[in-house]
Amino acid sequence: GNSVTQMEGPVTLSEEAFLTINCTYTATGYPSLFWYVQYPGEGLQLLLKATKADDKGSNKGFEATYRKETTSFHLEKGSVQVSDSAVYFCALILNAGNMLTFGGGTRLMVKP
Amino acid sequence: DSGVTQTPKHLITATGQRVTLRCSPRSGDLSVYWYQQSLDQGLQFLIQYYNGEERAKGNILERFSAQQFPDLHSELNLSSLELGDSALYFCASSVAGRGEQYFGPGTRLTVT
C-alpha cells in the first residue's frame, strides 16, 4: 500500500536557523506530494505541493523538491521564525480525487 | 480561511450516544472527505463523497456513517460512541480533477 514516513519530532530550533524535515514515501504509482501545516488549535493548511518528479513546491519561504529516485519530499526553510512553530504533515495522493495519505506529523518549535 | 466550514467546533457527549458533525465545502467543490485525527492513529481517511455519491471508504467503523446532500454539505454520523472515538474530525473539499484538498477547522469530539 501507500505510506508516508516523516522524521519524528519535536524539532526544536532557534529563530533564524535552517530547517529540514525529512519525508519519504512508498507508492504504487506516481503520486502528487504535499506539505500541510497545522497551527495550534487550527485545521490543516496546504503549504506547498509538487505533482511530478523534480518539481519544486514553494510558499512562504518553505521549499520541497519531489525526488523520485530517493522517493523523498523533504521540507526546507532557510531561516525559521517563532511564528513557524506548528505541526507539519507530509502527504501523498495517487490520483486527483482520491484520499490523502499522511505521515505522522513533525512538531516544530522555534525559540526566540 | 480555507472556505470549508464545520460545526460544531467542540462536542462533549457520553458513551453510547449518537452525534452528527456537519461540513460545508468550498463553493464549487463537489468532493467532500472526512478524516479522523487522534494521538495514537494520526490522520486517517474515513470516507469520501462526490456530488452526493459515496466515492471511497477508508478506515471507517460500521458505527459511523455519512452522507452528502443536494446542496453539497455533508454530515458524519457517529453512533454508539466509545471513549476511543474521542478525536478531531476534519472535513476537506476539493475541486474535481485537482489533488489538493482544503480542510475545515475541525470538530473536537470528547466522549466521556
Side-chain angles (χ1 to χ4, degrees):
Chain A
N2 306 317
S3 66
V4 177
T5 302
Q6 291 180 234
M7 60 190 290
E8 288 200 21
V11 173
T12 304
L13 295 173
S14 298
E15 207 164 22
E16 300 184 2
F18 185 86
L19 168 72
T20 300
I21 299 179
N22 290 337
C23 169
T24 57
Y25 68 89
T26 302
T28 53
Y30 300 99
S32 293
L33 302 172
F34 304 86
W35 278 100
Y36 281 84
V37 58
Q38 185 176 27
Y39 297 102
E42 298 186 12
L44 281 78
Q45 297 178 24
L46 178 63
L47 183 59
L48 54 83
K49 69 172 186 177
T51 58
K52 61 184 188 296
D54 300 324
D55 266 2
K56 177 186 282 189
S58 61
N59 186 24
K60 299 181 182 178
F62 291 90
E63 293 183 339
T65 301
Y66 188 142
R67 301 285 188 202
K68 183 181 166 190
E69 63 276 12
T70 54
T71 61
S72 64
F73 192 54
H74 305 321
L75 182 68
E76 296 182 336
K77 186 176 186 184
S79 176
V80 294
Q81 306 299 311
V82 173
S83 57
D84 294 326
S85 298
V87 180
Y88 292 80
F89 291 92
C90 185
L92 69 81
I93 194 166
L94 265 188
N95 297 299
N98 283 8
M99 56 174 266
L100 283 163
T101 298
F102 286 93
T106 301
R107 181 176 298 279
L108 170 65
M109 298 170 58
V110 181
K111 299 189 172 182
Chain B
D1 184 355
S2 68
V4 179
T5 60
Q6 289 187 248
T7 56
K9 193 169 177 61
H10 300 280
L11 202 47
I12 301 174
T13 189
T15 54
Q17 295 299 304
R18 172 189 170 94
V19 296
T20 297
L21 283 53
R22 183 188 168 104
C23 166
S24 292
R26 296 187 317 158
S27 177
D29 286 359
L30 299 180
S31 279
V32 169
Y33 309 78
W34 287 96
Y35 293 87
Q36 179 193 60
Q37 184 179 34
S38 61
L39 283 174
D40 54 346
Q41 301 278 356
L43 267 162
Q44 294 218 338
F45 167 72
L46 295 178
I47 196 165
Q48 178 199 358
Y49 277 81
Y50 177 81
N51 202 21
E53 301 288 328
E54 183 184 301
R55 174 67 66 90
K57 262 186 175 179
N59 298 320
I60 188 166
L61 300 171
E62 285 193 13
R63 300 183 285 109
F64 296 0
S65 64
Q67 54 185 329
Q68 186 179 27
F69 295 86
D71 67 351
L72 300 178
H73 91 270
S74 178
E75 293 181 356
L76 179 67
N77 300 295
L78 314 176
S79 62
S80 303
L81 286 168
E82 302 175 359
L83 295 177
D85 298 328
S86 296
L88 261 172
Y89 290 86
F90 287 109
C91 166
S93 72
S94 69
V95 176
R98 297 291 296 271
E100 59 266 33
Q101 296 175 17
Y102 294 89
F103 283 74
T107 294
R108 181 172 293 280
L109 173 66
T110 302
V111 182
T112 61

